[in-house]
């Protein structure tokens, strides 16, 4: 199943590189929602998420000629998105404006004046489990979101995060354990 | 404390990433291991619940259009990069073409000079040949006149006169019979040589 998916993506990449622009639009449409949702869950700010989303796609376009088909396109794409997110957080950390803020507190990017932003946060408040995901340590959260939102196999997550498969499985294991704890503390056993 | 087999196989089992043998092994294992069954159930429930509740967001229309515009722009610049690469790849070829052209020009000049020089030599040769032709034809004319003389018997008569004087013999017949065949052979050779008769 995973192989067919990545094979189709590789064909679209080849078609785009051979001059068919529509192939790339198809690829973009396929990953638009999962990728944007993945980024948005880190920043909780649509504007920032859109910036990072744009940077991700520009990097993808620039990197396409060097894209190696050894891994799947989705793992490559989410890997770039992950790096762009980390770069953005680092840049914000470096800037004086956000110096006093804690980078681990992801709600810092919430814009209280934005209507869509408010709606997003209100929705989130209704969803306890999603907030529990947001409270996970960064490395565990990335694995959980890549698996659930990006629908990436664990082997591809390992490739995207550039770490061993056992590390990814360990993070997932701890993430599920932490989620269980949070849920048990607040709602009782699932 | 989790079962080590769950850490190794549990999530890969749920995501369908185990090989057939691994799957068979783990299925047999979870029949026996209560801990693994519980872990699997919890993990699957949590992941399924999150998946059902997660809302996949879209970027705003402006952002989307901006990205597609940037993608096209990047695409243009991507092709520009390719063109630049081709140009830079052609630069050494241009040098090669320039060098080759220079070599061709030098070779052409060399052979041109050689040709002109050769033409001059040919002119001299042609002049010599013409001169030789003149000599040859004058010689042929002389030979023709000699043959005419032979034919008319003038030379023969002179020859016999010389033979007669030198031999001091009265035997005209023997002189004539000896020499006649020689002279006839000579005349035939001359006729064959010059007229093909």
């Amino acid at each position: 199943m995973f192989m067919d998916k990545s094979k189709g993506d590789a064909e679209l990449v080849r078609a785009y590189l051979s001059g068919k622009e529509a192939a790339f639009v198809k690829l973009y449409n396929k990953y638009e929602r999962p990728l944007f949702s993945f980024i948005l869950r880190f920043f909780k700010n649509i504007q920032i998420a859109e910036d990072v989303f744009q940077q991700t796609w520009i990097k993808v376009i620039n990197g396409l000629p060097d894209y190696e088909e050894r891994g799947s396109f989705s793992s490559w794409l989410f890997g770039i998105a992950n790096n762009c997110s980390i770069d953005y957080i680092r840049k914000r950390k470096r800037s004086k404006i956000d110096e006093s803020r804690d980078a681990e507190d992801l709600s810092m990017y919430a814009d209280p004046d934005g209507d869509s932003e408010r709606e997003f946060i209100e929705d989130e408040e209704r969803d306890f489990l999603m907030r529990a995901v947001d409270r996970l340590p960064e490395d565990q959260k990335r694995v959980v979101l890549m698996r659930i939102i990006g629908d990436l196999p664990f082997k591809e997550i390992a490739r995207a995060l550039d770490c061993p498969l056992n590390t990814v499985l360990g993070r997932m294991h701890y993430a599920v354990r932490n989620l269980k704890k949070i849920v048990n503390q607040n709602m009782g056993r699932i | 404390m989790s079962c080590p087999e769950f850490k190794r196989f549990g999530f890969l089992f749920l995501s369908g990433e185990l090989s057939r043998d691994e799957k068979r092994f783990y299925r047999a294992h979870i029949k026996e291991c209560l801990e693994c069954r519980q872990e699997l159930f919890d993990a699957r429930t949590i992941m399924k619940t999150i998946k059902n509740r997660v809302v996949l967001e879209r970027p705003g229309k402006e952002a989307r259009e901006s990205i597609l515009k940037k993608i096209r722009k990047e695409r243009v610049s991507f092709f520009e990069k390719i063109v630049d690469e081709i140009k830079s790849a052609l630069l050494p070829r241009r040098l090669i073409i320039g060098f080759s052209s220079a070599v061709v020009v030098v070779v052409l000049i060399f052979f041109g000079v050689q040709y002109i020089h050769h033409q001059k030599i040919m002119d001299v040769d042609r002049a010599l040949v013409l001169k030789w032709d003149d000599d040859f034809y004058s010689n042929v004319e002389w030979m023709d006149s000699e043959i005419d003389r032979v034919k008319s018997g003038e030379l023969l008569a002179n020859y016999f006169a010389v033979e007669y004087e030198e031999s001091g013999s009265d035997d005209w017949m023997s002189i004539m019979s000896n020499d006649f065949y020689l002279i006839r052979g000579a005349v035939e050779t001359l006729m064959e040589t010059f007229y093909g008769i």
Side-chain angles (χ1 to χ4, degrees), chain A residues 1-2 16-21 24-25 28-29 32-34 36-37 40-41 46 50 53-54 57-58 61-62 65 120 123 127-130 133 144-145 147-149 151-156 165-166 169 172-174 176-177 179-180 183 187 189-190, chain B residues 1-3 6-19 22 38-39 41-68 70-79 81-82:
Chain A
M1 183 182 78
F2 297 124
Y16 173 69
L17 289 175
S18 66
K20 290 173 187 166
E21 199 174 295
F24 193 82
V25 175
Y28 171 83
N29 287 335
E32 183 191 54
R33 280 170 179 265
F36 184 69
S37 304
L40 189 60
R41 291 227 66 87
I46 287 173
E50 283 178 353
F53 185 66
Q54 285 183 23
W57 280 106
I58 288 167
I61 290 284
N62 288 335
F120 178 79
D123 284 345
D127 196 333
F128 173 76
L129 197 58
M130 288 314 294
V133 171
V144 169
L145 292 179
R147 176 72 201 117
I148 293 170
I149 295 179
D151 200 24
L152 292 183
F154 288 103
K155 284 169 189 168
E156 293 299 335
L165 176 63
N166 282 339
L169 294 175
M172 189 68 190
H173 185 68
Y174 284 115
V176 169
R177 190 183 276 184
L179 286 170
K180 261 162 66 177
V183 169
M187 295 174 75
R189 196 172 171 78
I190 299 171
Chain B
M1 186 73 183
S2 294
C3 171
F6 177 76
K7 278 184 183 170
R8 220 174 128 199
F9 297 116
F11 290 107
L12 295 175
F13 179 78
L14 289 175
S15 62
E17 290 177 78
L18 288 182
S19 68
E22 286 170 334
Q38 187 62 55
E39 290 265 23
F41 175 78
D42 288 350
R44 187 161 51 190
T45 308
I46 285 173
M47 286 166 72
K48 214 172 179 179
T49 311
I50 296 169
K51 193 158 191 163
N52 288 339
R53 293 185 188 185
V54 78
V55 179
L56 292 181
E57 303 284 337
R58 277 185 90 172
K61 197 182 172 187
E62 280 180 24
R64 183 189 154 90
E65 279 170 7
S66 163
I67 290 163
L68 289 174
K70 277 181 185 173
I71 283 168
R72 284 189 196 105
K73 198 179 165 190
E74 289 297 321
R75 183 173 155 71
V76 170
S77 62
F78 165 67
F79 280 109
K81 273 179 214 166
I82 287 177

Side-chain angles (χ1 to χ4, degrees), chain B residues 104-126:
Chain B
V104 169
V105 167
V106 168
V107 168
L108 283 175
I109 290 169
F110 175 77
F111 281 107
V113 169
Q114 288 292 312
Y115 178 75
I116 292 163
H117 182 65
H118 180 71
Q119 283 298 109
K120 281 182 181 172
I121 292 168
M122 285 291 285
D123 288 344
V124 172
D125 286 351
R126 203 174 289 126

Side-chain angles (χ1 to χ4, degrees), chain A:
Chain A
M1 183 182 78
F2 297 124
M3 284 305 286
D4 290 342
K5 192 173 133 185
S6 61
K7 204 178 172 186
D9 292 345
E11 277 168 15
L12 288 173
V13 170
R14 274 197 296 274
Y16 173 69
L17 289 175
S18 66
K20 290 173 187 166
E21 199 174 295
F24 193 82
V25 175
K26 208 172 174 183
L27 209 55
Y28 171 83
N29 287 335
K30 186 177 174 182
Y31 288 104
E32 183 191 54
R33 280 170 179 265
L35 189 73
F36 184 69
S37 304
F38 172 76
I39 296 167
L40 189 60
R41 291 227 66 87
F42 281 97
F43 295 105
K44 295 288 186 67
N45 178 303
I46 287 173
Q47 192 60 51
I48 295 168
E50 283 178 353
D51 285 349
V52 175
F53 185 66
Q54 285 183 23
Q55 283 169 21
T56 303
W57 280 106
I58 288 167
K59 279 194 177 178
V60 166
I61 290 284
N62 288 335
L64 274 178
D66 304 320
Y67 161 65
E68 292 168 2
E69 290 175 25
R70 281 180 298 177
S72 71
F73 176 78
S74 54
S75 69
W76 184 60
L77 177 69
F78 277 84
I80 290 175
N82 184 54
N83 292 337
C84 285
S85 306
I86 292 168
D87 287 348
Y88 190 87
I89 292 168
R90 277 183 193 151
K91 275 179 197 167
R92 289 294 291 256
K93 260 187 179 176
R94 263 186 252 130
S95 70
K96 299 281 177 188
I97 306 161
D98 297 306
E99 210 170 42
S100 59
R101 296 181 182 178
D102 182 7
E104 291 299 314
D105 178 12
L106 296 169
S107 62
M108 67 180 176
Y109 297 117
D111 177 12
D113 298 327
D115 288 343
S116 54
E117 199 65 37
R118 199 177 300 123
E119 279 169 22
F120 178 79
I121 291 165
E122 281 167 4
D123 284 345
E124 288 303 293
E125 280 169 355
R126 278 185 227 119
D127 196 333
F128 173 76
L129 197 58
M130 288 314 294
R131 279 192 290 131
V133 171
D134 290 338
R135 281 165 63 189
L136 287 173
E138 281 293 295
D139 53 353
Q140 294 174 23
K141 191 176 159 184
R142 283 175 206 282
V143 173
V144 169
L145 292 179
M146 278 190 185
R147 176 72 201 117
I148 293 170
I149 295 179
D151 200 24
L152 292 183
F154 288 103
K155 284 169 189 168
E156 293 299 335
I157 295 172
R159 203 185 292 272
L161 297 175
D162 197 23
C163 62
L165 176 63
N166 282 339
T167 307
V168 171
L169 294 175
R171 284 176 190 172
M172 189 68 190
H173 185 68
Y174 284 115
V176 169
R177 190 183 276 184
N178 284 334
L179 286 170
K180 261 162 66 177
K181 259 187 216 169
I182 295 167
V183 169
N184 286 339
Q185 279 167 11
N186 292 275
M187 295 174 75
R189 196 172 171 78
I190 299 171

